[in-house]
Amino acid sequence: MRFLLTDEQREFGRSLDALLTAADTPAVLRAWAAGDHGPGRALWGRLADAGVFALAVPEAYGGVGPLPVEAAVACVELGRHAVPGPVAETLAAGVLLAGAGGPVAEEWLPGIASGAAVVSLTLEGYGPYAPDADAADAVFTVTGDELRLAPGPGEPSASADPARRLFRPEPGGAPVAKGPAIRAAARAAGDTAAFATAALALGCGEELLRATVAYVKQRTQFGVPVGSFQAVKHRLADTLLGLEFARPLLYGAAVELASEVSRPGAGVGSGSAEGSPGAGAAVAAAKVAAGEAGYAAARTALQLHGAIGYTEELDLAWWLRRARPLRDAWGTPSACRARVLAG
């Protein structure tokens, strides 16, 4: 199978790249990490105007989705620019609430699509923490066949990425939906969160590699750029190979998810919510490949930048600290490998 993005999909990615380049995301990241969510929410609104969050919301609720391929294109760009906020979680919430249906979907999905609502969530089997819950308008939790709206973000926990804070949501909260459809919707939401996180990790790795290549062309030793050394070239080539091998797995998973949505009988609360072993295994393969490649890019960047890579003042530090959390979020490498083997 030969997979190529369409002209429209490539233009969508270029438009997001231009938008985010002009947004000065390192400044937004620093504000977000300091607890000032204003610049980040303003950027979130511009991304929503570009259609990013509508990609996971069905047309019946004001979205244009689900469109997994376009979502992959968007999340790779958001990862390249290290956009703060619960991006994967909000996209996953779109799938979760669409599967739940009823009043909770009618209340929250239009806001997710328009960017008015920033949402975080936790799902059974993926750990108890909700990223950026303090900046979210809602934090949803799923336990068994019950969907609840958490009464508060809870207490923060330690995070390797200061611009991706982790919270254990306050317990309780009345159920907003329940039944077997919630279990199915939660499975699909978990796949969506893992898929979006894989795309974010791939974009993060791409930016780390780009910045490192630019740096080794400038840094000199013995009168020549260090990028001319054979050992440096090999390290960069290995990093590039990891990212390039992860890319087709990501878009292959997008095709699997899109096929699942479009199969006969699929729709809101049915095919897109149930998922399939094949789609789940494809997502897991993409997640482990992109997560490991992004983390390897961070290790390469840190080594080849030398001591300067540790400095807080260097913008690169925000990408370095994001790579490992993205690798482990919504499916650790070992969990993803086990799912691939089971699938």
Side-chain angles (χ1 to χ4, degrees):
M1 178 179 181
R2 186 183 183 200
F3 181 86
L4 292 173
L5 295 174
T6 66
D7 291 340
E8 291 79 7
Q9 290 164 344
R10 287 193 291 269
E11 182 56 35
F12 179 48
R14 285 192 291 267
S15 68
L16 290 176
D17 178 44
L19 184 159
L20 293 168
T21 299
D24 188 15
T25 52
V28 176
L29 280 163
R30 287 185 167 86
W32 191 274
D36 178 7
H37 301 131
R41 289 295 295 254
L43 177 58
W44 193 279
R46 293 197 292 275
L47 290 169
D49 290 342
V52 170
F53 302 108
L55 295 171
V57 177
E59 292 183 17
Y61 298 102
V64 297
L67 295 174
V69 176
E70 286 75 6
V73 172
C75 286
V76 168
E77 291 302 326
L78 269 59
R80 284 184 59 237
H81 291 272
V83 171
V87 172
E89 293 72 25
T90 296
L91 292 172
V95 172
L96 174 66
L97 298 180
V104 67
E106 295 172 358
E107 179 181 359
W108 288 99
L109 286 177
I112 289 175
S114 69
V118 176
V119 177
S120 192
L121 80 164
T122 65
L123 301 172
E124 276 189 314
Y126 290 100
Y129 298 114
D132 298 305
D134 60 330
D137 300 297
V139 180
F140 291 99
T141 65
V142 176
T143 304
D145 61 358
E146 288 190 341
L147 171 64
R148 296 175 182 267
L149 181 61
E155 292 298 319
S157 298
S159 174
D161 181 356
R164 192 177 184 275
R165 302 175 69 197
L166 301 176
F167 291 79
R168 187 186 292 266
E170 293 180 7
V176 294
K178 61 173 60 178
I182 300 303
R183 288 182 182 270
R187 287 195 297 271
D191 284 346
T192 299
F195 172 71
T197 303
L200 292 169
L202 179 62
C204 179
E206 287 180 349
E207 176 57 21
L208 284 163
L209 178 60
R210 184 209 62 79
T212 306
V213 170
Y215 180 72
V216 298
K217 288 180 179 178
Q218 299 172 357
R219 180 183 171 191
T220 60
Q221 192 172 21
F222 308 118
V224 297
V226 297
S228 64
F229 299 160
Q230 196 72 7
V232 172
K233 290 180 179 180
H234 279 295
R235 186 67 186 265
L236 292 170
D238 289 342
T239 302
L240 176 62
L241 281 174
L243 295 168
E244 289 302 312
F245 273 105
R247 190 186 316 280
L249 289 175
L250 175 69
Y251 285 110
V255 171
E256 288 279 355
L257 291 172
S259 298
E260 182 66 19
V261 171
S262 62
R263 70 176 173 83
V268 176
S270 61
S272 60
E274 284 288 351
S276 71
V283 169
K287 177 63 172 57
V288 68
E292 294 281 34
Y295 182 50
R299 292 168 63 90
T300 296
L302 186 59
Q303 180 182 18
L304 298 186
H305 275 80
I308 193 174
Y310 290 95
T311 62
E312 288 285 340
E313 293 78 8
L314 189 69
D315 290 342
L316 184 79
W318 296 98
W319 280 259
L320 287 171
R321 289 183 291 196
R322 179 152 295 196
R324 183 162 184 171
L326 289 176
R327 184 196 71 170
D328 296 338
W330 295 106
T332 62
S334 60
C336 289
R337 290 188 177 96
R339 190 173 185 190
V340 172
L341 291 173

